[in-house]
Amino acid sequence: MKITDVRAHHIRIPYDAGPASFRQGASAISALDMVIVEVSTDAGLTGWGDAFAYVCPKTSSMAVSEMIAPQARGLEVPDAAGIPAVMEQIQRNLHLFGRYGITMFAISALDIALWDLAGKVQGAPLHQLIGGAKRQTIPAYASLMRIGNAAHIASECKKAIKSGYSAIKLHETTIPAVTAAREAIGPAVPLMVDMNCPLDGPAAIQFARDCKQAAPMFLEEPVWPPEDFATLAEVRKEGRLDIAAGENACTVHQFRQMMTAGAVSHAQPSVTKVGGVTEFLKVAVLADEFGVKVIPHSPYFGPGFLATLHLMAIRDEGMIEVFFMKRPACLWGDRIDVDASGNVAVPQDPGLGYEPDRAVMEKYRVA
């Protein structure tokens, strides 16, 4: 069975996050932009992948079309055991264009699609191919977009807990915001604080000490630049709080540098950025060797979210990140919704487990 085509679909679904907003540089995320990658074969089977695309959907789509499609067309579809070698060769072939960022986003999409195909060929769900599920549902935490206003933060936290979520993550950078959240949810609910890399070392250490009374589970990416692992390790040591990072890291090699430096207590590989399922699995093995917990970056809504469910199903513990928002449609219907107990069901059908709703794709497609 050979790959006949690789096609990128830019899907844009609006959302309502109440008082929250999110900014990446000067760009506001006003809709859920996804680059869904369709890998077709001469046997009629289709694999689905996912390239990270928050504010770069056109760029990610072009990377798939210009770099990945020519590498993949005509390729014999590998079985599960053969995927790592195929992806290693594609990484080697494309290394001149960068080992991180957009190139790896596109590589991640192909990798996810190949695992989807491997499962469909074998008639087995992805989690069975990568070690076997230990859990049938994964606890979800509500990932709140940046709000700023303490009263609104408290209100949204209460809504999330009432909806069934058993943990909260903020995207805030002030002590009043963290304090407001803790007061709203009480002392027993896990609280995470994602800062998105705003501070230097001394300021991050001070922030960690100042918010210690709110008892966050961890501070996520408090330091700029995100690859300054030495400073991150210093913040972890001197701030006396656990530190999470990794959503901006690609390949197991960056994670090895991070963990060797002692920078993190929690590793956050993103399957749509790190290099796909193949690299995520390498990161998870490495994390276990270092005694680092795995809590993936996963606030997306395409095949990458399904892949993350499978990747967490084979682990004894760990949560999955879900943006706390309302959306008018989902590629998977209601099958990835968080239930009343705050969990998301792990797909059980072959491959990733679900096929995207093509009517939804067409309705929200960006030409």
Side-chain angles (χ1 to χ4, degrees):
M1 180 171 60
K2 292 186 177 182
I3 293 173
T4 55
D5 199 14
V6 177
R7 184 182 176 195
H9 304 271
H10 177 191
I11 310 300
R12 190 165 220 259
I13 299 177
Y15 68 84
D16 177 6
S21 64
F22 187 86
R23 290 193 170 273
Q24 192 80 14
S27 301
I29 296 178
S30 56
L32 303 173
D33 280 294
M34 295 171 273
V35 172
I36 309 304
V37 176
E38 180 180 10
V39 176
S40 304
T41 68
D42 58 8
L45 287 178
T46 299
W48 296 95
D50 197 343
F52 187 76
Y54 277 6
V55 294
C56 58
K58 293 180 181 178
T59 311
S60 291
S61 295
M62 190 61 71
V64 170
S65 299
E66 290 193 336
M67 289 193 284
I68 297 302
Q71 294 284 326
R73 288 192 191 102
L75 184 73
E76 193 73 31
V77 176
D79 60 12
I83 292 175
V86 169
M87 296 312 302
E88 169 79 12
Q89 188 58 55
I90 288 177
Q91 285 193 30
R92 287 173 177 267
N93 293 349
L94 297 175
H95 79 277
L96 290 175
F97 310 105
R99 295 277 294 141
Y100 308 104
I102 296 295
T103 303
M104 199 56 67
F105 300 173
I107 286 173
S108 297
L110 176 62
D111 182 89
I112 294 167
L114 290 182
W115 281 101
D116 187 27
L117 281 169
K120 288 170 177 173
V121 168
Q122 196 166 323
L126 173 57
H127 58 72
Q128 187 174 319
L129 302 184
I130 58 177
K134 297 179 179 179
R135 300 184 287 174
Q136 301 301 309
T137 61
I138 308 300
Y141 68 85
S143 188
L144 276 59
M145 291 185 171
R146 185 159 298 172
I147 298 172
N149 179 281
H152 288 159
I153 291 167
S155 176
E156 290 299 293
C157 286
K158 290 176 181 177
K159 286 180 186 177
I161 296 302
K162 190 175 181 179
S163 299
Y165 290 94
S166 56
I168 300 288
K169 185 163 84 174
L170 307 176
H171 287 82
E172 305 289 344
T173 57
T174 68
I175 299 303
V178 179
T179 302
R182 175 53 74 198
E183 290 176 350
I185 63 179
V189 176
L191 176 66
M192 297 152 272
V193 182
D194 187 350
M195 302 187 73
N196 292 120
C197 313
L199 304 175
D200 62 17
I205 291 169
Q206 190 61 53
F207 187 94
R209 292 175 177 175
D210 289 346
C211 74
K212 195 171 182 66
Q213 189 172 358
M217 178 191 294
F218 56 67
L219 291 187
E220 180 176 338
E221 293 193 324
V223 168
W224 176 262
E227 65 271 22
D228 186 353
F229 302 135
T231 298
L232 203 58
E234 189 72 8
V235 173
R236 183 185 178 195
K237 177 183 176 183
E238 299 298 329
R240 297 186 291 276
L241 277 180
D242 280 349
I243 297 293
E247 70 172 85
N248 288 307
C250 296
T251 80
V252 70
H253 304 293
Q254 268 202 320
F255 279 92
R256 183 175 290 108
Q257 294 166 0
M258 182 191 305
M259 294 180 200
T260 300
V264 294
S265 55
H266 296 71
Q268 298 178 296
S270 170
V271 75
T272 67
K273 301 170 82 172
V274 72
V277 172
T278 302
E279 289 292 326
F280 189 111
L281 290 170
K282 294 177 186 178
V283 172
V285 169
L286 186 70
D288 291 341
E289 291 174 359
F290 275 86
V292 170
K293 294 183 181 297
V294 176
I295 184 162
H297 176 260
S298 61
Y300 26 69
F301 298 85
F305 187 82
L306 302 185
T308 306
L309 285 171
H310 289 276
L311 287 160
M312 296 310 291
I314 70 171
R315 301 187 64 80
D316 292 314
E317 61 178 12
M319 297 181 284
I320 192 163
E321 181 177 12
V322 177
F323 267 153
F324 187 59
M325 60 172 56
K326 296 177 182 178
R327 61 192 189 279
C330 177
L331 293 173
W332 323 107
D334 60 1
R335 290 175 289 187
I336 64 168
D337 287 354
V338 178
D339 67 22
S341 299
N343 299 314
V344 182
V346 177
Q348 299 300 320
D349 288 341
L352 293 176
Y354 306 140
E355 293 293 305
D357 186 327
R358 287 189 179 269
V360 172
M361 289 179 63
E362 289 307 315
K363 182 174 181 178
Y364 294 100
R365 179 186 304 280
V366 178

